[in-house]
Coordinates of all heavy atoms in Angstrom, one line a residue:
M1 N -1.2 1.8 40.0 CA -2.1 1.7 38.8 C -2.2 0.2 38.5 O -1.2 -0.5 38.4 CB -1.5 2.5 37.7 CG -2.3 2.4 36.4 SD -1.5 3.4 35.2 CE -1.5 2.3 33.8
L2 N -3.4 -0.2 38.3 CA -3.6 -1.6 37.9 C -3.7 -1.7 36.4 O -4.1 -0.9 35.6 CB -5.0 -2.1 38.4 CG -5.0 -2.3 40.0 CD1 -6.4 -2.7 40.4 CD2 -4.0 -3.2 40.5
N3 N -3.1 -2.8 35.9 CA -3.1 -3.1 34.4 C -4.2 -4.2 34.2 O -4.4 -5.1 35.0 CB -1.8 -3.7 34.0 CG -0.7 -2.7 34.2 OD1 -0.4 -1.8 33.4 ND2 -0.1 -2.7 35.4
Q4 N -4.8 -4.1 33.0 CA -5.8 -5.2 32.7 C -5.2 -6.1 31.6 O -4.7 -5.6 30.6 CB -7.1 -4.6 32.2 CG -7.9 -3.9 33.4 CD -9.3 -3.5 33.0 OE1 -9.5 -3.3 31.8 NE2 -10.1 -3.3 33.9
K5 N -5.3 -7.3 31.8 CA -4.8 -8.3 30.8 C -5.8 -9.4 30.7 O -6.5 -9.8 31.6 CB -3.5 -8.9 31.3 CG -2.3 -8.0 31.3 CD -1.9 -7.7 29.9 CE -0.7 -6.8 29.9 NZ -0.2 -6.6 28.5
K6 N -5.9 -10.0 29.4 CA -6.8 -11.1 29.2 C -6.0 -12.4 29.4 O -4.9 -12.5 29.1 CB -7.3 -11.1 27.8 CG -8.4 -10.0 27.5 CD -8.9 -10.2 26.1 CE -10.0 -9.1 25.9 NZ -10.5 -9.1 24.5
I7 N -6.7 -13.4 29.9 CA -6.1 -14.7 30.0 C -6.1 -15.3 28.6 O -7.2 -15.3 27.9 CB -7.0 -15.6 31.0 CG1 -6.9 -15.0 32.4 CG2 -6.4 -17.0 31.0 CD1 -7.8 -15.7 33.4
S8 N -5.0 -15.9 28.2 CA -4.9 -16.5 26.9 C -5.6 -17.9 26.9 O -6.0 -18.4 28.0 CB -3.4 -16.7 26.6 OG -2.9 -17.8 27.4
R9 N -5.8 -18.4 25.7 CA -6.4 -19.8 25.6 C -5.7 -20.8 26.4 O -6.3 -21.8 26.9 CB -6.5 -20.2 24.2 CG -7.5 -19.5 23.4 CD -7.5 -19.9 21.9 NE -8.4 -19.0 21.1 CZ -9.5 -19.4 20.6 NH1 -9.9 -20.7 20.8 NH2 -10.3 -18.6 19.9
A10 N -4.4 -20.6 26.5 CA -3.5 -21.6 27.3 C -3.5 -21.3 28.8 O -2.9 -22.0 29.5 CB -2.1 -21.5 26.7
G11 N -4.2 -20.2 29.2 CA -4.3 -19.9 30.6 C -3.2 -18.9 31.1 O -3.1 -18.7 32.3
G12 N -2.5 -18.4 30.1 CA -1.4 -17.5 30.5 C -1.8 -16.1 30.6 O -2.8 -15.6 30.0
V13 N -1.1 -15.3 31.4 CA -1.3 -13.9 31.6 C 0.1 -13.2 31.5 O 1.0 -13.6 32.2 CB -2.0 -13.5 32.9 CG1 -2.1 -12.0 33.1 CG2 -3.3 -14.2 33.1
T14 N 0.2 -12.3 30.6 CA 1.5 -11.6 30.4 C 1.7 -10.5 31.4 O 0.8 -9.7 31.6 CB 1.6 -11.0 29.0 OG1 1.5 -12.1 28.0 CG2 3.0 -10.3 28.8
I15 N 2.8 -10.5 32.1 CA 3.1 -9.4 33.1 C 3.6 -8.3 32.2 O 4.6 -8.5 31.5 CB 4.1 -9.9 34.1 CG1 3.6 -11.1 34.9 CG2 4.5 -8.7 35.0 CD1 4.6 -11.7 35.9
P16 N 3.0 -7.1 32.4 CA 3.5 -6.0 31.5 C 5.0 -5.7 31.6 O 5.6 -5.9 32.7 CB 2.7 -4.8 32.1 CG 1.5 -5.4 32.7 CD 1.9 -6.7 33.3
A17 N 5.6 -5.3 30.5 CA 7.0 -5.1 30.4 C 7.5 -4.2 31.4 O 8.6 -4.4 32.0 CB 7.4 -4.7 29.0
H18 N 6.8 -3.1 31.6 CA 7.3 -2.1 32.6 C 7.4 -2.7 34.0 O 8.3 -2.3 34.8 CB 6.5 -0.8 32.6 CG 5.2 -0.9 33.2 ND1 4.1 -1.3 32.5 CD2 4.7 -0.5 34.4 CE1 3.0 -1.3 33.3 NE2 3.4 -0.8 34.5
L19 N 6.4 -3.6 34.4 CA 6.5 -4.2 35.7 C 7.7 -5.2 35.7 O 8.3 -5.3 36.8 CB 5.2 -5.0 36.0 CG 4.0 -4.1 36.4 CD1 2.8 -5.0 36.6 CD2 4.3 -3.4 37.7
R20 N 7.9 -5.9 34.6 CA 9.0 -6.9 34.6 C 10.3 -6.1 34.8 O 11.2 -6.5 35.6 CB 9.0 -7.7 33.3 CG 7.8 -8.6 33.2 CD 8.0 -9.6 32.1 NE 8.5 -9.1 30.8 CZ 7.7 -8.8 29.8 NH1 6.4 -8.9 29.9 NH2 8.2 -8.3 28.7
R21 N 10.4 -4.9 34.1 CA 11.7 -4.2 34.3 C 11.8 -3.6 35.7 O 12.9 -3.7 36.3 CB 11.7 -3.0 33.3 CG 12.2 -3.3 31.9 CD 12.5 -2.0 31.2 NE 11.3 -1.2 31.0 CZ 10.4 -1.3 30.1 NH1 10.5 -2.2 29.2 NH2 9.4 -0.5 30.0
E22 N 10.7 -3.0 36.2 CA 10.8 -2.4 37.6 C 11.1 -3.5 38.6 O 11.9 -3.2 39.6 CB 9.4 -1.8 37.9 CG 9.1 -0.5 37.3 CD 7.7 0.0 37.6 OE1 7.2 -0.3 38.6 OE2 7.2 0.7 36.7
L23 N 10.6 -4.7 38.5 CA 10.8 -5.7 39.5 C 12.0 -6.7 39.2 O 12.3 -7.6 39.9 CB 9.5 -6.6 39.6 CG 8.3 -5.8 40.1 CD1 7.1 -6.6 40.0 CD2 8.5 -5.2 41.5
G24 N 12.6 -6.4 38.0 CA 13.8 -7.3 37.7 C 13.4 -8.7 37.3 O 14.1 -9.6 37.5
L25 N 12.1 -8.9 36.9 CA 11.7 -10.3 36.5 C 12.3 -10.7 35.2 O 12.3 -9.9 34.2 CB 10.1 -10.3 36.4 CG 9.4 -10.1 37.7 CD1 7.9 -9.9 37.4 CD2 9.6 -11.3 38.7
E26 N 12.8 -11.9 35.1 CA 13.4 -12.4 33.9 C 12.7 -13.7 33.5 O 12.2 -14.4 34.3 CB 14.9 -12.6 34.1 CG 15.6 -11.3 34.4 CD 17.1 -11.5 34.5 OE1 17.6 -12.4 33.8 OE2 17.8 -10.8 35.2
A27 N 12.8 -13.9 32.2 CA 12.3 -15.2 31.6 C 13.0 -16.3 32.3 O 14.2 -16.3 32.6 CB 12.5 -15.3 30.1
G28 N 12.2 -17.3 32.7 CA 12.8 -18.5 33.4 C 12.6 -18.5 34.9 O 12.9 -19.5 35.6
E29 N 12.3 -17.3 35.5 CA 12.0 -17.3 36.9 C 10.8 -18.1 37.2 O 9.9 -18.2 36.4 CB 11.8 -15.8 37.4 CG 13.0 -15.1 37.6 CD 12.8 -13.8 38.5 OE1 12.0 -13.9 39.4 OE2 13.4 -12.8 38.2
V30 N 10.8 -18.7 38.4 CA 9.7 -19.6 38.8 C 8.9 -18.8 39.8 O 9.4 -18.2 40.7 CB 10.3 -20.9 39.5 CG1 9.2 -21.7 40.0 CG2 11.2 -21.7 38.6
M31 N 7.5 -18.9 39.5 CA 6.6 -18.1 40.4 C 5.7 -19.1 41.1 O 5.2 -20.1 40.5 CB 5.7 -17.2 39.5 CG 6.5 -16.3 38.6 SD 7.4 -15.0 39.5 CE 6.1 -13.9 40.1
D32 N 5.4 -18.9 42.4 CA 4.4 -19.6 43.1 C 3.1 -18.9 42.8 O 3.0 -17.6 42.8 CB 4.6 -19.6 44.6 CG 5.8 -20.5 45.0 OD1 6.0 -21.5 44.3 OD2 6.4 -20.1 46.0
I33 N 2.0 -19.6 42.5 CA 0.7 -19.0 42.2 C -0.3 -19.5 43.2 O -0.4 -20.8 43.4 CB 0.2 -19.3 40.8 CG1 1.2 -18.9 39.8 CG2 -1.2 -18.7 40.5 CD1 0.9 -19.3 38.4
G34 N -1.0 -18.6 43.9 CA -2.0 -19.0 44.8 C -3.2 -18.1 44.8 O -3.3 -17.2 43.9
Y35 N -4.1 -18.2 45.8 CA -5.2 -17.2 45.8 C -5.6 -17.0 47.3 O -5.3 -17.9 48.2 CB -6.4 -17.7 45.0 CG -7.0 -19.0 45.4 CD1 -8.1 -19.0 46.3 CD2 -6.5 -20.2 44.9 CE1 -8.6 -20.2 46.7 CE2 -7.0 -21.4 45.3 CZ -8.1 -21.4 46.2 OH -8.6 -22.6 46.6
T36 N -6.2 -15.9 47.5 CA -6.6 -15.5 48.9 C -8.0 -15.9 49.1 O -8.7 -16.4 48.2 CB -6.5 -14.0 49.1 OG1 -7.5 -13.4 48.2 CG2 -5.1 -13.4 48.7
D37 N -8.5 -15.8 50.4 CA -9.9 -16.1 50.7 C -10.9 -15.3 49.9 O -12.0 -15.7 49.6 CB -10.1 -15.8 52.2 CG -9.4 -16.8 53.1 OD1 -8.9 -17.9 52.5 OD2 -9.2 -16.5 54.3
K38 N -10.4 -14.1 49.5 CA -11.3 -13.2 48.7 C -11.3 -13.5 47.2 O -12.0 -12.9 46.4 CB -10.9 -11.7 48.9 CG -11.1 -11.2 50.3 CD -10.6 -9.8 50.4 CE -10.8 -9.3 51.8 NZ -10.3 -7.9 52.0
G39 N -10.5 -14.5 46.8 CA -10.4 -14.9 45.4 C -9.4 -14.1 44.6 O -9.3 -14.3 43.4
D40 N -8.6 -13.3 45.3 CA -7.5 -12.6 44.6 C -6.4 -13.6 44.3 O -6.0 -14.4 45.1 CB -6.9 -11.4 45.4 CG -7.9 -10.3 45.7 OD1 -8.7 -10.1 44.7 OD2 -7.9 -9.7 46.7
I41 N -5.8 -13.5 43.1 CA -4.7 -14.4 42.7 C -3.4 -13.7 43.1 O -3.2 -12.5 42.9 CB -4.8 -14.7 41.2 CG1 -6.0 -15.5 40.9 CG2 -3.5 -15.4 40.7 CD1 -6.3 -15.6 39.4
V42 N -2.5 -14.5 43.7 CA -1.3 -14.0 44.2 C -0.1 -14.7 43.5 O -0.1 -15.9 43.4 CB -1.2 -14.2 45.7 CG1 0.2 -13.8 46.3 CG2 -2.3 -13.6 46.5
L43 N 0.8 -13.9 43.0 CA 2.1 -14.4 42.4 C 3.2 -14.1 43.4 O 3.3 -13.0 43.9 CB 2.4 -13.7 41.1 CG 1.6 -14.0 39.9 CD1 2.0 -13.2 38.7 CD2 1.7 -15.5 39.5
H44 N 4.0 -15.1 43.6 CA 5.1 -14.9 44.5 C 6.4 -15.5 43.9 O 6.4 -16.6 43.3 CB 4.8 -15.6 45.9 CG 5.9 -15.5 46.9 ND1 6.9 -16.4 47.1 CD2 6.1 -14.5 47.8 CE1 7.7 -16.0 48.0 NE2 7.2 -14.8 48.5
R45 N 7.5 -14.7 43.9 CA 8.7 -15.2 43.3 C 9.2 -16.4 44.1 O 9.5 -16.3 45.3 CB 9.8 -14.1 43.3 CG 9.5 -13.0 42.4 CD 10.4 -11.9 42.6 NE 11.1 -11.7 41.4 CZ 11.9 -10.6 41.2 NH1 12.1 -9.8 42.2 NH2 12.5 -10.4 40.1
A46 N 9.3 -17.5 43.5 CA 9.8 -18.7 44.2 C 11.3 -18.9 44.0 O 11.9 -19.3 44.9 CB 9.0 -20.0 43.6
R47 N 11.8 -18.6 42.9 CA 13.2 -18.8 42.6 C 13.6 -17.9 41.4 O 12.8 -17.7 40.5 CB 13.4 -20.2 42.2 CG 14.8 -20.7 42.6 CD 15.0 -22.1 42.2 NE 15.2 -22.1 40.7 CZ 14.8 -23.1 39.9 NH1 14.2 -24.1 40.4 NH2 15.0 -23.0 38.6
G48 N 14.8 -17.4 41.5 CA 15.2 -16.5 40.4 C 16.7 -16.7 40.1 O 17.3 -17.8 40.5
F49 N 17.3 -15.7 39.6 CA 18.7 -15.8 39.2 C 19.4 -14.5 39.7 O 18.8 -13.5 39.7 CB 18.9 -15.9 37.7 CG 18.1 -17.0 37.1 CD1 16.8 -16.8 36.5 CD2 18.6 -18.3 37.1 CE1 16.1 -17.8 36.0 CE2 17.9 -19.3 36.5 CZ 16.6 -19.1 36.0
C50 N 20.7 -14.7 40.0 CA 21.5 -13.5 40.5 C 21.5 -12.5 39.4 O 21.8 -12.8 38.2 CB 22.9 -14.0 40.8 SG 24.0 -12.6 41.3
L51 N 21.3 -11.2 39.8 CA 21.4 -10.1 38.8 C 22.7 -10.0 38.1 O 22.7 -9.7 36.9 CB 21.1 -8.8 39.6 CG 21.3 -7.5 38.9 CD1 20.2 -7.3 37.9 CD2 21.3 -6.3 39.9
F52 N 23.8 -10.4 38.7 CA 25.1 -10.2 38.1 C 25.6 -11.5 37.4 O 26.1 -11.4 36.3 CB 26.1 -9.8 39.2 CG 25.7 -8.5 39.9 CD1 25.2 -8.5 41.2 CD2 25.7 -7.3 39.2 CE1 24.8 -7.3 41.8 CE2 25.4 -6.1 39.8 CZ 24.9 -6.2 41.1
C53 N 25.5 -12.6 38.1 CA 26.2 -13.8 37.5 C 25.2 -14.9 37.0 O 25.6 -15.9 36.5 CB 27.2 -14.4 38.5 SG 26.4 -15.2 39.9
K54 N 23.9 -14.7 37.2 CA 22.8 -15.6 36.8 C 22.8 -16.9 37.6 O 22.1 -17.8 37.2 CB 22.9 -15.9 35.3 CG 22.9 -14.7 34.4 CD 21.7 -13.8 34.7 CE 21.7 -12.6 33.8 NZ 20.8 -11.5 34.3
S55 N 23.6 -17.0 38.7 CA 23.5 -18.2 39.5 C 22.1 -18.3 40.2 O 21.4 -17.3 40.4 CB 24.6 -18.1 40.6 OG 24.4 -19.1 41.6
D56 N 21.7 -19.5 40.5 CA 20.5 -19.7 41.2 C 20.7 -20.2 42.6 O 19.8 -20.8 43.2 CB 19.5 -20.6 40.4 CG 20.0 -22.0 40.2 OD1 21.2 -22.2 40.5 OD2 19.2 -22.8 39.7
H57 N 21.9 -20.1 43.1 CA 22.2 -20.6 44.5 C 22.4 -19.5 45.5 O 23.0 -18.4 45.1 CB 23.5 -21.5 44.4 CG 23.3 -22.7 43.6 ND1 22.5 -23.7 43.9 CD2 23.9 -23.1 42.4 CE1 22.5 -24.6 43.0 NE2 23.4 -24.3 42.0
D58 N 22.1 -19.7 46.7 CA 22.3 -18.8 47.8 C 21.8 -17.4 47.5 O 22.6 -16.4 47.6 CB 23.8 -18.8 48.2 CG 24.2 -20.1 48.8 OD1 23.4 -20.8 49.5 OD2 25.4 -20.4 48.7
L59 N 20.6 -17.2 47.1 CA 20.1 -15.9 46.7 C 19.4 -15.2 47.8 O 18.8 -15.8 48.7 CB 19.1 -16.1 45.5 CG 19.6 -16.7 44.3 CD1 18.4 -17.0 43.3 CD2 20.7 -15.9 43.6
I60 N 19.6 -13.9 47.9 CA 18.8 -13.0 48.7 C 18.1 -12.0 47.8 O 18.6 -11.7 46.7 CB 19.6 -12.3 49.8 CG1 20.6 -11.3 49.2 CG2 20.3 -13.3 50.7 CD1 20.9 -10.2 50.2
M61 N 17.0 -11.5 48.3 CA 16.3 -10.4 47.5 C 16.8 -9.1 48.1 O 16.7 -8.9 49.3 CB 14.8 -10.6 47.7 CG 13.9 -9.6 47.0 SD 13.8 -9.9 45.3 CE 12.7 -11.3 45.3
Y62 N 17.3 -8.2 47.2 CA 17.7 -6.9 47.6 C 17.1 -5.9 46.6 O 17.4 -6.0 45.4 CB 19.2 -6.8 47.6 CG 19.7 -5.4 48.0 CD1 19.6 -5.0 49.4 CD2 20.2 -4.5 47.1 CE1 20.0 -3.7 49.7 CE2 20.6 -3.3 47.5 CZ 20.5 -2.9 48.8 OH 20.9 -1.6 49.1
E63 N 16.3 -4.9 47.1 CA 15.7 -3.9 46.3 C 15.0 -4.5 45.1 O 15.1 -4.0 44.0 CB 16.8 -2.9 45.8 CG 17.6 -2.2 46.9 CD 16.8 -1.0 47.4 OE1 15.9 -0.5 46.7 OE2 17.1 -0.6 48.6
G64 N 14.3 -5.7 45.3 CA 13.5 -6.3 44.3 C 14.3 -7.1 43.3 O 13.8 -7.6 42.3
R65 N 15.6 -7.3 43.6 CA 16.5 -8.1 42.7 C 17.1 -9.2 43.5 O 17.5 -9.1 44.6 CB 17.6 -7.3 42.1 CG 17.1 -6.0 41.4 CD 16.4 -6.4 40.1 NE 16.3 -5.3 39.1 CZ 15.4 -4.4 39.1 NH1 14.5 -4.3 40.1 NH2 15.4 -3.5 38.2
F66 N 17.4 -10.4 42.8 CA 18.1 -11.5 43.5 C 19.6 -11.2 43.3 O 20.0 -10.8 42.2 CB 17.7 -12.8 42.8 CG 16.4 -13.3 43.2 CD1 15.4 -13.4 42.2 CD2 16.1 -13.8 44.4 CE1 14.1 -13.8 42.5 CE2 14.8 -14.3 44.8 CZ 13.8 -14.3 43.8
V67 N 20.3 -11.4 44.4 CA 21.8 -11.4 44.3 C 22.3 -12.6 45.1 O 21.8 -12.9 46.2 CB 22.3 -10.1 45.0 CG1 23.8 -10.0 44.8 CG2 21.6 -8.8 44.4
C68 N 23.3 -13.2 44.5 CA 23.9 -14.4 45.2 C 24.9 -14.1 46.2 O 25.5 -13.0 46.2 CB 24.4 -15.4 44.2 SG 26.0 -15.0 43.5
S69 N 25.2 -15.0 47.1 CA 26.2 -14.7 48.2 C 27.6 -14.5 47.7 O 28.3 -13.7 48.2 CB 26.2 -15.9 49.2 OG 26.5 -17.1 48.6
T70 N 27.9 -15.2 46.6 CA 29.3 -15.0 46.0 C 29.4 -13.6 45.5 O 30.5 -13.0 45.8 CB 29.4 -16.0 44.8 OG1 29.3 -17.3 45.3 CG2 30.8 -15.8 44.1
C71 N 28.4 -13.0 44.8 CA 28.5 -11.7 44.3 C 28.5 -10.7 45.5 O 29.2 -9.7 45.4 CB 27.4 -11.4 43.3 SG 27.7 -12.2 41.7
I72 N 27.7 -11.0 46.5 CA 27.7 -10.1 47.7 C 29.1 -10.0 48.3 O 29.6 -9.0 48.6 CB 26.7 -10.6 48.7 CG1 25.3 -10.4 48.2 CG2 26.8 -9.9 50.1 CD1 24.2 -11.1 49.0
N73 N 29.7 -11.2 48.5 CA 31.1 -11.2 49.0 C 32.1 -10.5 48.2 O 33.0 -9.8 48.7 CB 31.5 -12.7 49.3 CG 30.8 -13.3 50.5 OD1 30.4 -12.6 51.4 ND2 30.5 -14.6 50.4
R74 N 32.0 -10.6 46.8 CA 32.9 -9.9 45.9 C 32.7 -8.4 46.1 O 33.6 -7.6 46.1 CB 32.6 -10.3 44.5 CG 33.2 -11.6 44.1 CD 33.0 -11.8 42.6 NE 33.3 -13.2 42.3 CZ 32.7 -13.9 41.3 NH1 31.8 -13.3 40.5 NH2 33.0 -15.1 41.1
M75 N 31.4 -7.9 46.2 CA 31.1 -6.5 46.4 C 31.7 -6.0 47.7 O 32.2 -4.9 47.8 CB 29.6 -6.2 46.3 CG 29.1 -6.3 44.9 SD 27.4 -5.8 44.7 CE 26.5 -7.3 45.2
K76 N 31.6 -6.8 48.8 CA 32.1 -6.4 50.1 C 33.6 -6.2 50.0 O 34.1 -5.2 50.4 CB 31.8 -7.5 51.1 CG 30.5 -7.5 51.8 CD 30.5 -8.6 52.8 CE 29.1 -8.9 53.3 NZ 29.1 -10.1 54.2
K77 N 34.3 -7.2 49.3 CA 35.8 -7.1 49.2 C 36.1 -5.8 48.4 O 37.1 -5.1 48.8 CB 36.3 -8.3 48.5 CG 36.4 -9.5 49.4 CD 37.0 -10.7 48.8 CE 36.9 -11.9 49.7 NZ 37.3 -13.2 49.1
E78 N 35.4 -5.6 47.3 CA 35.8 -4.4 46.5 C 35.5 -3.1 47.3 O 36.2 -2.1 47.2 CB 34.9 -4.3 45.2 CG 35.7 -4.9 44.1 CD 35.1 -4.6 42.7 OE1 34.7 -3.4 42.5 OE2 34.9 -5.5 41.9
A79 N 34.4 -3.1 48.0 CA 34.1 -1.9 48.8 C 35.1 -1.6 49.9 O 35.5 -0.5 50.1 CB 32.7 -2.1 49.5
E80 N 35.6 -2.7 50.5 CA 36.7 -2.6 51.5 C 37.9 -2.0 50.9 O 38.7 -1.3 51.6 CB 36.9 -3.9 52.2 CG 35.8 -4.4 53.1 CD 36.0 -5.8 53.5 OE1 37.0 -6.5 53.2 OE2 35.1 -6.3 54.2
Q81 N 38.2 -2.3 49.7 CA 39.5 -1.8 49.0 C 39.4 -0.3 48.7 O 40.4 0.3 48.5 CB 39.7 -2.6 47.7 CG 40.1 -4.0 48.0 CD 40.2 -4.8 46.7 OE1 39.9 -4.4 45.6 NE2 40.7 -6.1 46.8
H82 N 38.1 0.2 48.6 CA 38.0 1.6 48.2 C 37.8 2.5 49.4 O 37.5 3.7 49.3 CB 36.8 1.8 47.3 CG 37.0 1.1 46.0 ND1 38.0 1.5 45.1 CD2 36.3 0.1 45.4 CE1 38.0 0.7 44.0 NE2 37.0 -0.1 44.2
V83 N 37.9 1.9 50.7 CA 37.7 2.7 51.9 C 39.0 3.4 52.2 O 40.0 2.9 52.1 CB 37.2 1.9 53.1 CG1 37.1 2.7 54.3 CG2 35.8 1.3 52.7
Ligands
ZN101 ZN1 26.0 -13.7 41.6

């Protein structure tokens, strides 16, 4: 389903709250903005923050969320202890 939004006087477009929640988008994330040959505007997540510790280093995207390598390693260790 597409959402319709007006461009503000400052040129901003608000991403609907339900999309921000579904995609884990948080205030402060950096987005790349470009456009296709057809004139469609494309937003691409350029940089974000770890879902757990808010770090912005060594991030991977998992299920639409950023997770840092430190938190991944902590989860691995905890998972190994529960096997
Ligand atoms: Zn983390």
